Each structure stands twice: as C-alpha cells, then as structure tokens.
Amino acid sequence: MEVPRFDAIRLIEVARQQFLPMARQGEIPVTAEAGAVHVELLALIALTARQETGTATASEAGFQEMSHFVSSAKDGRSKILYRAQLRSFARADPTDKLAMVSLFIRGAEGWKGNRSYPDMVEETDLVLLDGVESVRAALEAQLGFNATDAKAVLDACHDLRQHGLNDRIEAMADAVLDAMAAEDEGRADRH
C-alpha cells in the first residue's frame, strides 16, 4: 500500500485541493472532479495508515508524487465507496422507514452532494428531515436535535475553518511580500 509512504496531513491537503476546488465567496466551482467523499475517504485511509505505522511523518515524496497518487487512486476509492454503500443496503431493515430515508440520503450525499451544488443537497435534506413533522419529531426524540440544528452547527464549523484558511493565506501573503521587500532592499537571507 502506497499511503504510508506519504505524510498523512500533506496527502489530505493535496486531495482537498484537487477534489474541493476553491472559489470566491458566493461562487460555486463547477467541476466533475469535485467531491468531498473522495477527500473524506482518503483522509480516513491516510490517518489510519499513520496510526498503524505509529509515526507522524513519512518519507519525502518526490515532486508531484502525491498529486499523481491522489489522481490515480480515485478508481480504487470509488470501488470502496460502492462496496460500502452496497453493504449498507444489505444490512438495512427495509421495514424501518427512518433507516431507509437515512440510507438513501447518505447515499445521495456521498455521490451527488459535491461542491457543484451544495445548496440543492441542503434544501433536499431540510425538506426531507425537517419538512415532515413526524420525521422531525423522530429525530428530536431519538437524537435530541433536528436537521436545522445540525445544519447550524455544521455551518459554524465551516465558517471557523474558512476563517482559519483565510488567516493562513493572509499570513503567507504577508511573508511573501516581506521576503520580496527584503530582496529588493538587498538584505535577504540566502540560506
């Protein structure tokens, strides 16, 4: 298995950049490659491999080696996802309506719920889970929260992550500008 050869965090970042393209706020990047499910699965595999080897770092990867691996392993990850979904269908109790609704929603979000149209997935989820009073009541009774509550928490987590990313990008831009200014002034450290 190639995954343990790579640093897990760096590999996840490469996958995130490939499958979750960036866009300005309010814009939705449209690409056939976009899909959180591939990033999430690769993250699980990479972090599990990291835990099994008992090391936080891996050997240095060659130029573009991780990008090539992330691209070429997509078919294998898709097969894992198909098999996991089939296993879920096989284990589901077809008489349990709430379980069946949950199963179909998870399947649809996994395959269709990518960055190309998150607003449609959100709207569908809210209509299915909170739009039907009996489903909403069952969620609140069994979980203690409803879909709207869950969405609010996920939105808050997303906003925190986005602010963190923006802070890192701003710090990187400041460092680059400082280095360029130092170079122009002839005081750059060349070591």
Side-chain angles (χ1 to χ4, degrees):
M1 179 180 221
E2 282 191 74
V3 174
R5 292 186 48 242
F6 305 117
D7 175 72
I9 304 304
R10 289 180 58 211
L11 186 65
I12 293 166
E13 184 62 14
V14 168
R16 187 194 62 75
Q17 290 176 7
Q18 181 171 346
F19 293 114
L20 302 176
M22 300 288 286
R24 290 187 175 99
Q25 186 169 356
E27 292 181 12
I28 299 172
V30 178
T31 172
E33 292 295 309
V37 68
H38 286 282
V39 179
E40 292 166 354
L41 180 57
L42 187 60
L44 289 171
I45 293 169
L47 293 172
T48 301
R50 175 181 174 175
Q51 193 172 27
E52 287 176 359
T53 61
T55 179
T57 58
S59 61
E60 278 297 314
F63 180 69
Q64 295 294 322
E65 196 173 349
M66 279 192 276
S67 294
H68 177 71
F69 172 76
V70 168
S71 297
S72 64
K74 184 178 180 187
D75 288 340
R77 288 191 308 274
S78 292
K79 288 177 185 176
I80 291 170
L81 293 166
Y82 283 124
R83 289 179 181 141
Q85 190 171 18
L86 284 173
R87 185 181 68 192
S88 296
F89 281 125
R91 290 182 174 173
D93 177 4
T95 62
D96 184 349
K97 292 180 182 178
L98 188 56
M100 294 307 292
V101 168
S102 174
L103 181 66
F104 287 123
I105 289 173
R106 281 196 318 265
E109 283 185 351
W111 294 108
K112 296 189 298 184
N114 63 40
R115 307 293 278 192
S116 298
Y117 45 88
D119 53 329
M120 292 176 67
V121 172
E122 178 182 315
E123 183 179 328
T124 302
D125 287 350
L126 290 176
V127 167
L128 286 173
L129 299 174
D130 279 356
V132 178
E133 186 55 40
S134 60
V135 174
R136 182 184 177 104
L139 287 173
E140 289 175 342
Q142 291 182 17
L143 303 175
F145 59 88
N146 58 42
T148 302
D149 298 334
K151 180 191 169 315
V153 170
L154 293 172
D155 286 345
C157 290
H158 172 75
D159 290 345
L160 289 171
R161 187 167 167 245
Q162 192 66 43
H163 288 302
L165 176 63
N166 290 341
D167 290 346
R168 289 191 303 275
I169 290 172
E170 188 175 317
M172 182 183 70
D174 290 345
V176 168
L177 291 174
D178 288 347
M180 290 171 60
E183 177 72 22
D184 289 344
E185 294 171 10
R187 58 180 175 85
D189 183 4
R190 300 211 183 264
H191 299 290

